[in-house]
Amino acid sequence: MKAVVLAAGEGTRMRPLTATRPKPMVPVAGKPLVEHVLDIAAEYVDGYVLVVGYKEESIRSYLGDEHLGKPIEYVRQEEQRGTAHAIGQAEPYVDERFLALNGDVMLDDGLVAKLAGAEANAIATMRVDDPTAYGVISRDGDRVTGIVEKPKDPPSTLANLGLYAFEPEIFEYIDRTGRSERGEYEITDSIEMSIDDGRTVVAVEHTGTWLDVGRPWEVLDANEHLLEHCSRRINGDVEDGATVNGDVVIEEGARVRSGAYLDGPVLVQSGADVGPNAYVRGSTVVGRNARVGNGVEIKNSILLDGASVGHLSYVGDSVIGADANLGAGTIVANLRHDDQPVKMAVKGEQVDTGRRKLGVVLADGVKTGINTSLNAGTKLGVGAMTRPGESVMSDRGDGL
Ligand code: TTP
């Protein structure tokens, strides 16, 4: 059985992190999202078919032609025309029952086992409090009888998680699928056609964790969840006088200098350099070759590879892009005085993130001048710079 992994999406809601990488390459807990998906499927498949498109080169060069000993084949989706169209690209590579998995979800093991082990075509579902934001499943016993997108009056609380097992016969229905109201070829329409034709589709119910990582703060949600499961491992160089508490991973080639205080869960990746006298709190990832310098406090944040927070700064609940550089004294606000959830712009619209604590999202290569203040929920796009002493209250830069 192969896993067809959808990784062609542009990830427009995830900008500016996706201005420079496809969404499946956004790292959580030290690895690109798509790698977590491949890891979880590895036990049940004998190969992967990756459907790639937007900035595909970075996926191809990172993953290469195998993962955990299983071959990876790539197929290009020229234009993002919808999930049915994306899965349809894999037809020449698949001749038996297969898994179809979104390359940008975070889930625990168990679910893929259930999908792989189901008898017929299968859809992963989970009970959610507010189904109106999801595709909602109607069923009779285990059998799916219909799927309705974002219904005002949901027929159940079972959400479609975007993870499937299909017989190759699904390709016939994909071929016959027309465009939906939003102009895409949707796999849920192909599935409904197969049900109308009398094919059996079962709902596999997931009771663990599943997160659709679509917007920048969901990267932090996924990171928090995954780091909760990391176990202490110190392979790097920890100087005398550094304190390392709890589940902290310090990879080989990383350095933690004297006076640094690390409170897990924290991941310090190879080549990273922390301290002296820095305070790194959970759930934080200090990426490869990233720098956390003297007098810096970092909390619940992801520093992508090569990011540098060199001196006297505070970074909370934030994602700092690769090779970004925060000038001395840069301070991130991550809480509103009125205690309301922080808002962030997604495709130009202010969205309630549901998070009481949320800092900033900085594109790769952003530079802040000394003593910059960054307001909660702000995004700085590609090429953005701030002047010394600036207070940044709204988004700026390209690729937002
Ligand atoms: P989405 O998250 O709906 O799309 P996206 O990744 O482009 O993000 P955004 O809406 O922010 O622009 O896609 C779900 C999954 O399917 C995701 O893994 C990307 C993948 N996909 C494709 O591979 N091809 C497609 O044509 C579409 C629509 C999605």
Side-chain angles (χ1 to χ4, degrees), residues 5-15 18 23-24 51-53 77 79-87 101-105 182 184-185 212-215 346-347:
V5 179
L6 304 193
E10 189 173 338
T12 49
R13 292 165 299 149
M14 185 63 86
R15 290 174 184 163
T18 48
K23 190 168 57 167
V51 182
V52 293
Q77 186 190 20
E79 221 183 307
Q80 248 189 285
R81 295 203 201 148
T83 44
H85 182 256
I87 295 171
L101 311 172
N102 281 355
D104 54 7
V105 290
R182 59 172 178 171
E184 291 190 4
Y185 299 94
D212 179 22
V213 186
R215 299 169 296 184
V346 175
K347 297 173 91 169

Side-chain angles (χ1 to χ4, degrees), residues 311-327:
H311 331 261
L312 306 167
S313 290
Y314 174 71
V315 175
D317 304 278
S318 296
V319 184
I320 309 298
D323 301 316
N325 189 77
L326 272 53

Side-chain angles (χ1 to χ4, degrees), residues 76 136 148 166 225 290 352:
R76 180 173 163 76
V136 179
V148 43
F166 291 124
H225 180 78
D352 181 344

